[in-house]
């Protein structure tokens, strides 16, 4: 009997091992679903749905469609010059410059007793109306088109800040889930952008840029749905008289922090490093699609090029996390800025058609160029994000981080407008690209120029605090409750969505 039991037990063990071997692959495939289920159970399913809708679909997939669609809309529908399109792209990004205002509003000014839901609903409605106007109007004037595109950008920015506030709040109430929430945000945005860029050119080819704007009502509608379904307790008897004082207290705390040398000098470098790295993307885009002087890429090829850029961004995140995160900020920023300037030479090679002389097709070099550029740009962007997080004083971390992101976005706006001015001065037009090579050289020189200002960045251990003790010891009057952190921005964020 004992021997029979031993044999039966050993047989059961063998069967369990066989089942575990056979089910290993199935378990691997099911792991993401178990992860989503765990997050939904520990927080609330509406929060997980909100992150996927805002980060994955609205910002990731929708942002990719919007970028490619806007490029073709300006070129083929509005028929503007590349220098003008460069300026207009900067105007469209203006709502991202005032992210601290959106953050403060959603944190201190509830509407009908709710702090988050009304802002999702407002952002979704703005997005739906603006995209419908762009897609359905036959001959929309350029001014109204810009207003609609800017309104759509504002809707995405408001939804971004609001979901960041929700993530921050849940990260405070569930500290052990904070890394998982950040991973969910990053993964959703990256996968959405990669998928969006991969298929955006196909949709542009079949339904045109206006049709793509019509499709963008779906992400905006999902943001509206998030506002309706979000699980949020109602705030009764809220004292609206305190709102003004909260704005004043936050402003004073931010000004006090900005006056310290390590803070304002780092902020100055952030702005100048982006502003001096002028952007001539529209000039290159017009050349890519030109049938006479350029390679005349199809819509599908343009989307594919941008999707490869998303892969480069992911590679940068992996490299920084595993190799560079413990190096001093100044060292990483020095080499990334230098490589950023040198990477522009790939554009020069392809514009001068030197690659054809040695038998390298245009699309091969341009795909490599886009991947290298996005990877190097993110290697510069990520230490700046970490540095920004180190400069945030206690109690107003979210608001101050949003302020620093606005400084970066202001630098990107200056870069876009500076690139538009450069294209205009060099007479680069819709059909004339004789001086595009000179614009590339000047851009590369300007990209390297911030190296002269690298001394502005604080030198020190990236794992240590950079703020003085008087800021870290801020009294309770300047501290906000833990559940009122406004924003928790992912450390891996696509520069283009800004």
């Amino acid at each position: 009997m004992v021997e029979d039991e031993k044999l039966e037990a050993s047989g059961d063990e063998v069967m369990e091992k066989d089942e575990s071997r056979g089910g290993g692959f199935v378990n691997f495939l099911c792991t993401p679903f178990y992860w989503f289920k765990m997050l939904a159970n520990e927080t609330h399913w509406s929060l997980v749905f909100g992150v996927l809708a805002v980060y994955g679909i609205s910002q990731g997939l929708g942002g990719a469609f919007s970028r490619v669609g806007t490029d073709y809309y300006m070129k083929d529908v509005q028929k503007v010059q590349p220098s003008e399109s460069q300026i207009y792209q900067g105007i469209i990004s203006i709502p991202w410059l005032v992210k601290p205002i959106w953050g403060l509003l959603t944190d201190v000014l509830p509407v009908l007793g709710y702090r988050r839901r009304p802002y999702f609903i407002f952002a979704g409605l703005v997005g739906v109306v603006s995209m419908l106007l762009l897609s359905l109007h036959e001959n929309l004037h350029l001014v109204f088109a810009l207003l609609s595109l800017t309104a759509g950008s504002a809707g995405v920015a408001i939804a971004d800040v609001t979901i960041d506030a929700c993530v921050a709040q849940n990260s405070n109430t569930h500290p052990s889930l904070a890394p998982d929430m950040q991973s969910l945000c990053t993964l959703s945005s990256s996968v959405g952008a990669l998928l969006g860029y991969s298929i955006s050119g196909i949709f542009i080819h079949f339904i045109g840029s206006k049709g793509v704007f019509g499709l963008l009502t779906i992400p905006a509608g999902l943001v509206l749905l998030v506002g309706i379904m979000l699980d949020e307790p109602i705030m009764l008897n809220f004292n609206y008289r305190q709102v003004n004082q909260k704005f004043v207290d936050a402003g004073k705390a931010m000004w006090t922090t900005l006056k310290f040398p390590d803070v304002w000098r780092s902020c100055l470098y952030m702005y100048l490093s982006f502003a001096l790295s002028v952007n001539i993307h529209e000039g290159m885009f017009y050349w890519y699609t030109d049938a006479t002087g350029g390679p005349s890429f199809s819509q599908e090829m343009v989307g594919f090029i941008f999707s490869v850029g998303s892969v480069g961004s992911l590679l940068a995140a992996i490299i920084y996390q595993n190799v560079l995160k413990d190096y001093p900020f100044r060292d990483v920023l020095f080499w990334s800025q230098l490589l950023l300037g040198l990477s522009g030479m790939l554009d020069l090679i392809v514009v001068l058609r030197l690659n054809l002389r040695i038998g390298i097709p245009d699309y091969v070099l341009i795909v490599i160029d886009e991947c290298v550029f996005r990877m190097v740009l993110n290697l510069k962007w990520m230490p700046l994000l970490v540095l920004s997080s180190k400069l945030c004083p206690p109690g107003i971390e979210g608001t101050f981080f949003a302020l620093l992101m606005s400084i970066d976005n202001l630098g990107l706006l200056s870069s876009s407008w500076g690139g538009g001015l450069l294209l205009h001065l060099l007479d680069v037009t819709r059909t004339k690209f004789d001086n595009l090579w000179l614009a590339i050289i000047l851009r590369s020189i300007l990209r390297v120029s911030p190296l002269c200002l690298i001394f502005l960045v604080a030198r020190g251990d990236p794992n240590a605090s950079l703020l003085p003790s008087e800021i870290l010891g801020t009294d309770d009057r300047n501290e906000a409750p833990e559940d009122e952190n406004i924003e928790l921005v992912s450390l891996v964020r696509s520069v283009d969505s800004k």
Side-chain angles (χ1 to χ4, degrees):
M1 293 289 294
V2 175
E3 293 180 356
D4 292 340
E5 290 178 357
K6 290 182 178 180
L7 290 173
E8 183 177 352
S10 62
D12 291 339
E13 291 178 359
V14 172
M15 290 178 63
E16 289 177 0
K17 290 180 180 179
D18 291 339
E19 288 178 359
S20 64
R21 291 172 183 172
F25 182 70
V26 176
N27 291 333
F28 175 77
L29 293 178
C30 293
T31 297
F33 298 99
Y34 295 146
W35 184 54
F36 284 124
K37 184 178 180 180
M38 180 273 294
L39 290 176
N41 290 335
E42 293 293 332
T43 57
H44 193 270
W45 66 267
S46 62
L47 176 64
V48 178
F49 172 71
V51 170
L52 294 176
V54 176
Y55 277 114
I57 300 178
S58 178
Q59 285 192 37
L61 191 144
F65 271 59
S66 178
R67 179 186 175 185
V68 180
T70 302
D71 282 341
Y72 277 100
Y73 180 76
M74 289 297 176
K75 178 177 181 288
D76 298 334
V77 178
Q78 295 294 340
K79 299 186 183 302
V80 300
Q81 298 295 341
S83 57
E84 296 173 328
S85 179
Q86 195 82 44
I87 299 296
Y88 299 149
Q89 295 282 0
I91 294 175
I92 295 169
S93 68
I94 286 178
W96 292 86
L97 301 181
V98 292
K99 284 184 67 175
I101 296 178
W102 308 133
L104 282 170
L105 287 175
T106 185
D107 191 63
V108 306
L109 186 61
V111 179
L112 300 177
Y114 294 101
R115 298 170 62 194
R116 317 297 185 196
R117 295 177 66 179
Y119 293 97
F120 280 125
I121 293 174
F122 175 72
L125 287 175
V126 169
V128 169
V129 173
S130 60
M131 292 301 106
L132 282 178
L133 180 62
L134 285 167
S135 62
L136 297 179
H137 199 287
E138 289 296 331
N139 297 302
L140 189 62
H141 192 275
L142 178 60
V143 173
F144 293 107
L146 280 177
L147 289 175
S148 297
L149 289 169
T150 305
S153 177
V156 177
I158 294 172
D160 169 75
V161 172
T162 309
I163 195 64
D164 283 339
C166 295
V167 171
Q169 186 173 347
N170 279 271
S171 296
N172 286 327
T173 56
H174 302 83
S176 62
L177 295 180
D180 293 279
M181 294 303 300
Q182 280 300 300
S183 297
L184 178 62
C185 296
T186 301
L187 182 63
S188 301
S189 178
S190 300
V191 173
L194 182 59
L195 177 62
Y197 281 125
S198 299
I199 64 177
S200 59
I202 299 174
F203 280 91
I204 291 287
H205 176 77
F206 285 104
I207 62 177
S209 56
K210 294 175 66 175
V212 166
F213 288 140
L215 288 178
L216 288 176
T217 58
I218 298 176
L222 287 175
V223 172
L224 175 63
L225 186 61
V226 171
I228 296 173
M229 303 177 66
L230 184 68
D231 180 62
E232 181 184 15
I234 189 171
M235 300 176 61
L236 300 175
N237 302 321
F238 179 80
N239 187 1
Y240 284 91
R241 296 178 182 177
Q242 298 178 353
V243 172
N244 185 55
Q245 187 59 41
K246 288 183 178 181
F247 274 103
V248 173
D249 291 343
K252 289 181 179 179
M254 286 190 291
W255 175 246
T256 300
T257 305
L258 282 171
K259 289 191 295 184
F260 284 92
D262 279 347
V263 178
W264 71 259
R265 291 172 64 182
S266 297
C267 291
L268 180 61
Y269 177 81
M270 290 179 192
Y271 169 75
L272 292 176
S273 67
F274 283 112
L276 292 174
S277 302
V278 295
N279 180 5
I280 58 170
H281 165 75
E282 297 305 313
M284 294 300 300
F285 171 75
Y286 278 57
W287 182 79
Y288 287 162
T289 56
D290 185 71
T292 304
S296 187
F297 285 150
S298 64
Q299 293 94 334
E300 294 87 346
M301 178 56 68
V302 171
F304 174 72
I305 291 172
F306 289 154
S307 68
V308 173
S310 299
V311 175
S313 299
L314 289 175
L315 289 175
I318 296 172
I319 293 173
Y320 185 81
Q321 177 65 26
N322 292 281
V323 180
L324 301 176
K325 67 177 182 179
D326 294 325
Y327 283 84
F329 295 117
R330 191 181 293 184
D331 295 345
V332 178
L333 291 173
F334 176 88
W335 290 107
S336 61
Q337 193 71 47
L338 179 61
L339 291 175
L340 188 64
L342 295 177
S343 66
M345 293 297 100
L346 293 175
D347 284 334
L348 183 64
I349 292 174
V350 73
V351 167
L352 293 177
R353 316 317 298 269
L354 299 178
N355 57 298
L356 297 181
R357 298 181 183 178
I358 56 178
I360 301 178
D362 289 327
Y363 69 88
V364 172
L365 193 61
I366 291 175
V367 164
I368 295 174
D369 175 32
E370 183 68 16
C371 183
V372 170
F373 169 69
R374 293 298 165 191
M375 182 175 66
V376 174
L377 186 63
N378 261 31
L379 287 176
K380 169 190 172 180
W381 179 257
M382 294 190 67
L384 287 178
L385 288 173
V386 179
L387 175 62
S388 297
S389 67
K390 296 289 183 180
L391 297 177
C392 296
I396 57 168
E397 296 92 343
T399 311
F400 201 81
F401 196 98
L403 174 65
L404 296 178
M405 292 301 96
S406 296
I407 293 174
D408 291 345
N409 288 327
L410 180 61
L412 292 172
L413 175 64
S414 303
S415 169
S416 181
W417 285 356
L421 178 61
L422 180 62
L423 293 174
H424 176 74
L425 293 176
L426 295 179
D427 195 28
V428 177
T429 66
R430 294 170 54 87
T431 57
K432 188 177 179 182
F433 306 98
D434 295 339
N435 292 327
L436 184 58
W437 66 273
L438 182 57
I440 294 172
I441 292 178
L442 294 175
R443 180 199 64 182
S444 299
I445 295 174
L446 289 172
R447 280 182 178 178
V448 177
S449 60
L451 294 178
C452 301
L453 306 171
I454 198 71
F455 66 91
L456 294 172
V457 180
R459 176 182 287 278
D461 184 359
N463 298 315
S465 175
L466 299 177
L467 291 174
S469 57
E470 50 265 49
I471 289 294
L472 294 176
T474 303
D475 59 17
D476 293 337
R477 289 174 301 174
N478 290 335
E479 291 187 0
E482 284 188 355
D483 63 346
E484 290 190 358
N485 282 336
I486 294 169
E487 183 178 26
L488 182 64
V489 181
S490 171
L491 292 185
V492 185
R493 183 71 59 86
S494 172
V495 177
D496 298 328
S497 64
K498 308 294 182 188

